[in-house]
């Protein structure tokens, strides 16, 4: 513990011209008295730590005691400090390792590049979770991350299905990579002996245990797998995400959209559905030699959606800027909703605090 603290102290002093005892104590999470003892121990070990006395004094290294990364340009040095998402590193249990790595890089940089971490942090911040929900870190994420880093084969218990159909299955997996998508962690892995890679939600794992040991005499060693050198995590995820988006859009609805409805459509439906609508509108505009409208600026388009229920929820947000033409069951649902809304508002506003009362059925 103390050895790690002494190393960190040296790296801190390498990365800055001088630090007071109070600053070092805060960074190292120890008392100023401990800082004094540590500085003396470093000096006795041959590390040239020098203490300046007085109000403006502090600790510093003398004699050029440092190593430097001289081949980095400023842009390259700044990019190093954008290579991870702080929250994601913390959730995987890698925050201390990342902090130590950044400190070592800062200490080794040329003095003219020492501010690279600050200039990058003040200009870019990566916030991965989505809005309007509290992100929850999966309990087994650190264990999964360890297996990914170490190419360690694991036996995992995983919840499949939903509701009353949910059941627990056991799989031996080769964990290749982790992906953080809109605040949700996914594991890309494959079953030993199979070529197909699969995607698992980490929050559905109930147990993750390393396979092994391969040698009973050396219980710390676990079974590892040989990675497929052709596997590229970013390319795999991009392809799988596109496949997933297409697979969930199994139903089609036909709608008329006002110009305002066309404008706000991407904010209400899935991105792939909005893209399909844009393509249809472009084709209609090209065929008609104009925008493809029906005389009053409205356009007819077919939207791929997940289900009628989801379409009803999404298209309700467009209000009077959309008219459902098909299927008939969805149009009837909107018609019934319109009747209920008309009856609700035609009575006038209720007295404050009384509430609207029951809504009459159509």
């Amino acid at each position: 513990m103390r050895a790690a603290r002494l190393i960190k102290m040296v790296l801190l002093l390498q990365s800055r011209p001088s630090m007071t005892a109070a600053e070092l104590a805060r960074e190292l999470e120890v008392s100023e008295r401990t800082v004094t003892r540590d500085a003396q121990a470093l000096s006795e070990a041959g590390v040239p730590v020098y203490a300046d006395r007085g109000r403006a004094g502090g600790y510093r290294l003398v004699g050029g005691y440092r190593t430097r990364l001289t081949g980095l340009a400023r842009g390259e040095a700044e990019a190093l400090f954008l290579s991870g998402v702080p929250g994601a590193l913390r959730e995987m249990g890698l925050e201390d390792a990342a902090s130590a790595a950044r400190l070592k890089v800062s200490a080794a940089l040329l003095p003219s590049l020492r501010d690279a971490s600050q200039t990058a942090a003040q200009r870019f911040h990566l916030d991965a979770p989505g809005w309007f929900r509290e992100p929850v870190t999966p309990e087994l994420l650190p264990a999964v991350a360890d297996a990914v880093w170490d190419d360690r084969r694991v036996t995992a218990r995983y919840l499949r299905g939903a509701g009353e159909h949910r059941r627990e299955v056991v799989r031996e997996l080769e964990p290749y990579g982790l992906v953080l998508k809109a605040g949700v962690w996914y594991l890309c892995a494959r079953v030993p002996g199979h070529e197909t890679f699969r995607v698992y939600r980490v929050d559905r794992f109930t147990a993750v245990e390393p396979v092994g040991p391969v040698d009973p005499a050396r219980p710390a060693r676990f079974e590892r797998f040989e990675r497929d050198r052709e596997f590229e995590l970013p390319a795999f995820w991009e392809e799988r995400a596109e496949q997933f988006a297409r697979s969930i859009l199994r139903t089609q609805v036909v709608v008329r959209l006002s110009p305002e409805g066309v404008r706000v459509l991407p904010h209400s439906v899935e991105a792939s559905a909005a893209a399909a609508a844009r393509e249809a509108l472009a084709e209609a505009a090209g065929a008609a030699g104009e925008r493809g409208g029906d005389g009053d600026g409205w356009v007819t388009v077919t939207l791929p959606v997940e289900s009628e229920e989801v379409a009803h929820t999404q298209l309700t947000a467009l209000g009077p800027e959309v008219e459902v033409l098909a299927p008939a069951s969805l149009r009837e649902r909107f018609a019934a909703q319109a009747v209920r809304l008309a009856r609700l508002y035609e009575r006038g506003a209720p007295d404050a605090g009384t509430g609207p009362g029951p809504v009459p059925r159509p």
Side-chain angles (χ1 to χ4, degrees), residues 210-352:
V211 176
V214 293
D215 185 355
R218 304 177 66 183
R221 297 190 61 184
F222 296 101
E223 186 174 341
R224 291 177 172 81
F225 63 92
E226 188 71 24
R227 293 180 68 90
D228 183 348
R229 297 185 180 275
E230 295 184 359
F231 177 81
E232 295 183 2
L233 181 59
F236 168 77
W237 180 258
E238 182 178 2
E239 179 182 358
R240 183 56 61 90
E242 184 178 348
Q243 291 175 354
F244 175 76
R246 289 197 303 264
S247 68
I248 65 173
L249 303 179
R250 297 183 289 267
T251 305
Q252 289 187 333
V253 299
V254 182
V255 299
R256 289 178 68 240
L257 293 167
S258 70
E260 176 65 11
V262 172
R263 186 185 71 81
V264 300
L265 181 66
H267 303 291
S268 301
V269 300
E270 301 292 341
S272 55
R278 286 195 299 269
E279 293 177 4
L281 292 173
E283 292 177 1
E290 52 183 22
R291 189 173 180 177
D294 54 11
D296 56 359
W298 286 60
V299 293
T300 301
V301 64
T302 300
L303 291 176
V305 295
E306 184 175 348
S307 65
E308 284 192 26
E309 289 75 16
V310 173
H312 179 260
T313 300
Q314 293 176 335
L315 296 176
T316 295
L318 273 64
E321 309 303 330
V322 62
E323 178 188 2
V324 175
L325 302 180
S329 56
L330 183 59
R331 181 177 176 87
E332 291 171 0
R333 180 179 297 191
F334 271 93
Q337 183 182 43
V339 170
R340 294 182 66 190
L341 283 171
R343 291 180 179 177
L344 179 66
Y345 284 96
E346 68 185 3
R347 299 186 314 223
D351 294 335

Side-chain angles (χ1 to χ4, degrees), residues 35-120:
V35 169
T36 301
R37 289 198 297 265
D38 287 350
Q40 183 177 354
L42 288 172
S43 180
E44 293 173 354
V47 178
V49 178
Y50 180 79
D52 290 319
R53 304 294 181 183
R55 178 175 299 178
Y59 291 92
R60 61 186 176 89
L61 293 175
V62 296
Y65 189 88
R66 60 175 52 86
T67 58
R68 296 177 176 177
L69 295 177
T70 57
L72 291 177
R74 169 165 290 277
E76 295 170 332
E78 291 172 344
L80 282 174
F81 296 95
L82 292 175
S83 58
V85 183
L89 293 172
R90 181 174 58 253
E91 292 177 5
M92 288 189 291
L94 299 175
E95 184 178 28
D96 290 342
S99 176
R102 288 192 295 268
L103 185 58
K104 290 177 181 179
V105 171
S106 296
L109 288 173
L110 289 168
S112 61
L113 300 179
R114 293 278 169 76
D115 64 341
S117 61
Q118 286 78 20
T119 57

